[in-house]
Amino acid sequence: MAHLHVTKNPTQPSSSVSHSLHSQKPKKQALTTAMVSQYGIKYAVHIITNHFGPLVAKVCDCLLKKGPLPLREIVRYTELSETLVRNCLLVLIQHNCLQPFLLEEEGGFGEVNKVSSLYMVLFDNVLHRVRFSKFMAIVSQEFNKLCVDLIETLLQHGRLSSEQIFDGFRDSTEGSSSGGMEALQENIHKLVMARYVERCPISEPFLALPSEEEAAPARRRGAKSAKVFLEPETLEQRVLAAAVPPEGMRFSFELNPEIGADREKAENSSTGDKRKHDALESGTDGGFVDKQVVLWRVNCEEFTRRLRHKICIEIVRTRLDDEAATVFTAMLNASRSEEKKIKTASSVPLSENSIYAEVIKSEKGRNMTLDYVISVLVGLSSSPPFVRVVDNSYSIDYKHIIEVAQTDEVESIVYKKYGKDAYRMFRLLSKTGRFLETDKISDSIFVEKKETANILSKMWQGDYLQMEKLVAGPTQFLLWKVNMINLRERVLDDMFHASLNLSLRVAYELEQQKEILHLGVDGPMKEKYEKLKKVRFLLESSRMKLDDAIMIFHDF
């Protein structure tokens, strides 16, 4: 009888252990936290270090490694003073990199339930800090310079009240008159309506103990859906869902014709940050966001969605042609208002007429007839299917498009790292989606069997392949397969590592430039200075391209 032996199994990360706030340990909520890879944490801490210094980065590092913690636990782990930790937390909150929340936990025997105040780093928002230039580029393509300046101001300061925004522009040319202030309000209104700016989330959302039905494992619903289980929400997803304001309030901005008339009101509202600080100093649970002052911030979620659209359009253009990209863009525009999540599998269904109505809004689209658009839709729904067709309605298959982009990226890495033959082997295994024996792979790609085994072994050692040994009596067979789920995690961690190295190199080149500027750029130093500028530009460009790849694997 044949025996199957698994030679190499992917290791599963262990979940972090939460810390008790009391001597008698109460029962904890069953919380699933999103795991961040080793170099993901290092890269995020590096970003925070560059922007806010080592002390804030130390608090961030602690929370990324330990998970959500109460204040006293952060003080214990970081070995910083309580006051310093509070100020570091305020900085992270101000710049939307941290979310406080209240967690209800079941008390011990005969005790009432406990409520703990915890702090959680928002890993995605930390990564977004290197994408600010991309966000501003999107706004510059749609709106005027004043809107770009408004976005830049919010990105720089994190979160501001309306009065603080107006104060910042009051002395500028645009905001020096009442007409300028009205224009400023109108442009803020445009950004809010476009969902590029939103109201800040609730200061400390409350997570109650789940009901018995919510606490139970996700079960199948109905006989037809056997073996279909719902993936549990992560703690971050639960907290963010509880913190987000209602849709009508989140994107609501009322024009005020009297704005700027009362200087005292502006000065009073500017004390919001001090009240947040006082609340934190006093140790109260609430008070991070003044309840009487509406604070605004950049909606990174909407910008991430637009960046996903941009990458999807380029994939369609590369795989098909410009006409397909034009029709695909029209479908994105027509379904954009219905999108609620970034990581969504597909768009809402659209009819042929609604797609055509959106197509002819563009200059290129006006050259197309309805029949031609329908023929393009047929091409989009062919292999590989970027669009799904059901009952004459068309929906964008985001999941498949992103999977295609991820596969292309991994295959490109394999080609650069292991060569052309390895690329062909990897591509064969990726398309097959099952275990193949060494001889079968060798025969399929016409490479000598010994060389095939050597190349496969190298990719296995690099964690790009899964290998199993099949023993049938005295004979042993090696079976190979691509485990794309595990491989994506590995590739993403490698990308975080590469981004960290690029960022460190950019910082080094910048220091070199500063030294030359200090000495002067005349004579022979001028040539060296120009060379360093070119090197730094290339490094920055490479880092932005690498960030696009990170978004394909992490954000989309």
Side-chain angles (χ1 to χ4, degrees):
M1 181 180 291
H3 300 281
L4 189 66
H5 303 280
V6 178
T7 304
K8 191 170 186 178
N9 285 326
T11 57
Q12 297 295 330
S14 59
S15 59
S16 58
V17 180
S18 58
H19 300 274
S20 174
L21 298 177
H22 310 282
S23 58
Q24 183 178 0
K25 295 183 179 180
K27 296 180 181 179
K28 304 289 183 179
Q29 287 197 49
L31 298 173
T32 304
T33 56
M35 301 302 297
V36 181
S37 65
Q38 174 189 358
Y39 282 105
I41 292 175
K42 290 183 178 181
Y43 182 46
V45 172
H46 171 75
I47 294 170
I48 295 298
T49 303
N50 277 352
H51 291 193
F52 307 115
L55 293 177
V56 178
K58 189 172 186 179
V59 172
C60 179
D61 180 63
C62 171
L63 289 171
L64 283 172
K65 290 179 178 176
K66 301 292 184 180
L69 293 173
L71 177 61
R72 65 181 183 183
E73 292 295 305
I74 302 172
V75 172
R76 182 166 73 90
Y77 281 118
T78 59
E79 298 180 346
L80 299 174
S81 68
E82 185 172 319
T83 300
L84 189 53
V85 170
R86 290 179 190 275
N87 289 330
C88 290
L89 292 173
L90 276 172
V91 169
L92 291 171
I93 292 169
Q94 175 67 30
H95 292 274
N96 307 301
C97 295
L98 183 133
Q99 177 65 58
F101 65 99
L102 300 173
L103 181 69
E104 183 182 20
E105 297 171 323
E106 190 174 343
F109 182 75
E111 294 183 355
V112 297
N113 292 345
K114 312 292 184 181
V115 176
S116 305
S117 181
L118 304 178
Y119 305 90
M120 177 178 66
V121 167
L122 303 178
F123 177 73
D124 290 354
N125 283 11
V126 175
L127 295 186
H128 287 325
R129 297 194 63 81
V130 301
R131 299 167 185 153
F132 286 175
S133 60
K134 297 180 181 180
F135 295 173
M136 292 173 61
I138 292 173
V139 175
S140 66
Q141 292 170 3
E142 297 185 32
F143 298 105
N144 57 30
K145 185 180 182 300
L146 183 54
C147 285
V148 176
D149 292 341
L150 284 166
I151 289 293
E152 184 178 13
T153 299
L154 284 171
L155 289 173
Q156 181 181 353
H157 297 284
R159 48 180 69 185
L160 295 171
S161 68
S162 299
E163 291 292 348
Q164 287 172 330
I165 296 172
F166 297 138
D167 280 346
F169 284 83
R170 198 180 300 274
D171 297 329
S172 66
T173 304
E174 295 88 347
S176 58
S177 63
S178 59
M181 297 306 293
E182 289 177 5
L184 187 62
Q185 286 194 85
E186 290 174 359
N187 281 278
I188 295 175
H189 183 259
K190 288 179 183 178
L191 292 171
V192 173
M193 292 300 100
R195 303 197 170 202
Y196 289 142
V197 172
E198 64 176 353
R199 293 198 185 200
C200 289
I202 298 170
S203 59
E204 279 189 304
F206 176 72
L207 293 188
L209 278 170
S211 63
E212 292 183 5
E213 183 178 349
E214 293 172 334
R219 302 182 179 91
R220 64 176 183 264
R221 298 172 185 256
K224 292 184 178 180
S225 59
K227 296 184 180 180
V228 175
F229 295 88
L230 300 176
E231 185 178 349
E233 281 188 315
T234 64
L235 174 60
E236 183 172 339
Q237 289 171 336
R238 290 183 59 197
V239 171
L240 293 181
V244 65
E247 192 77 4
M249 182 185 298
R250 183 182 179 187
F251 301 107
S252 172
F253 182 84
E254 296 181 1
L255 298 175
N256 183 2
E258 298 180 359
I259 198 72
D262 191 346
R263 185 74 180 182
E264 183 179 354
K265 185 188 294 184
E267 292 173 354
N268 290 338
S269 66
S270 67
T271 63
D273 283 342
K274 184 178 185 304
R275 286 197 290 271
K276 288 189 294 180
H277 184 276
D278 292 343
L280 200 60
E281 285 289 342
S282 64
T284 57
D285 292 335
F288 286 116
V289 178
D290 195 301
K291 296 177 176 60
Q292 297 179 353
V293 177
V294 177
L295 296 178
W296 300 93
R297 68 175 187 177
V298 168
N299 180 14
C300 294
E301 182 179 309
E302 182 63 27
F303 281 107
T304 305
R305 190 178 292 115
R306 297 296 176 96
L307 291 172
R308 182 195 62 183
H309 290 174
K310 180 181 177 181
I311 287 176
C312 288
I313 291 169
E314 290 308 311
I315 292 171
V316 171
R317 193 189 311 279
T318 302
R319 289 294 184 110
L320 298 174
D321 51 36
D322 289 341
E323 285 76 15
T326 298
V327 174
F328 185 83
T329 302
M331 293 184 69
L332 286 172
N333 294 335
S335 60
R336 180 175 293 166
S337 61
E338 300 298 326
E339 290 186 35
K340 303 301 180 184
K341 296 180 180 179
I342 297 174
K343 293 184 178 181
T344 183
S346 61
S347 69
V348 295
L350 299 168
S351 66
E352 293 172 351
N353 290 331
S354 62
I355 295 172
Y356 185 68
E358 192 68 37
V359 167
I360 60 177
K361 290 182 180 179
S362 66
E363 184 177 350
K364 291 182 179 179
R366 284 190 284 271
N367 296 325
M368 301 181 185
T369 64
L370 176 59
D371 287 342
Y372 185 77
V373 169
I374 293 173
S375 69
V376 173
L377 289 171
V378 171
L380 284 167
S381 59
S382 302
S383 182
F386 296 143
V387 170
R388 299 289 182 183
V389 187
V390 179
D391 298 332
N392 292 325
S393 293
Y394 301 84
S395 59
I396 298 171
D397 191 346
Y398 288 119
K399 185 174 184 292
H400 180 71
I401 296 173
I402 298 304
E403 286 176 351
V404 167
Q406 291 173 345
T407 302
D408 287 348
E409 192 67 37
V410 174
E411 289 177 354
S412 175
I413 294 172
V414 169
Y415 187 91
K416 294 175 182 177
K417 196 169 185 177
Y418 299 104
K420 184 177 180 179
D421 289 338
Y423 163 77
R424 292 167 61 203
M425 295 176 196
F426 183 89
R427 189 173 177 81
L428 172 66
L429 290 169
S430 178
K431 287 187 173 182
T432 304
R434 57 185 174 84
F435 281 102
L436 289 181
E437 201 266 328
T438 307
D439 290 351
K440 177 70 174 176
I441 299 171
S442 175
D443 295 339
S444 298
I445 63 171
F446 304 106
V447 176
E448 197 268 331
K449 293 180 181 180
K450 185 177 180 180
E451 181 65 18
T452 299
N454 289 335
I455 294 173
L456 290 170
S457 179
K458 288 179 181 179
M459 287 195 287
W460 170 70
Q461 290 173 356
D463 289 334
Y464 282 85
L465 293 181
Q466 181 179 345
M467 184 266 282
E468 292 186 1
K469 292 181 180 179
L470 182 64
V471 181
T475 308
Q476 176 177 287
F477 300 95
L478 295 182
L479 305 177
W480 310 89
K481 178 185 176 182
V482 173
N483 187 333
M484 193 58 75
I485 295 176
N486 292 338
L487 184 55
R488 289 184 190 121
E489 295 177 359
R490 163 63 195 273
V491 169
L492 177 61
D493 196 44
D494 287 346
M495 288 179 177
F496 284 138
H497 190 185
S499 288
L500 175 61
N501 288 339
L502 274 173
S503 298
L504 292 172
R505 179 64 188 276
V506 168
Y508 171 78
E509 296 295 336
L510 183 60
E511 285 299 319
Q512 294 288 100
Q513 281 185 260
K514 287 181 179 178
E515 289 182 11
I516 294 176
L517 282 174
H518 181 70
L519 296 173
V521 293
D522 296 331
M525 299 301 291
K526 184 176 182 180
E527 183 178 348
K528 185 176 181 181
Y529 178 77
E530 292 298 327
K531 185 178 179 180
L532 285 173
K533 278 180 64 177
K534 291 179 180 179
V535 170
R536 186 186 168 202
F537 175 79
L538 289 173
L539 290 171
E540 289 281 10
S541 178
S542 298
R543 187 172 66 166
M544 288 296 100
K545 289 179 180 178
L546 185 56
D547 183 65
D548 289 341
I550 287 174
M551 295 188 79
I552 290 173
F553 283 85
H554 177 72
D555 296 271
F556 303 155

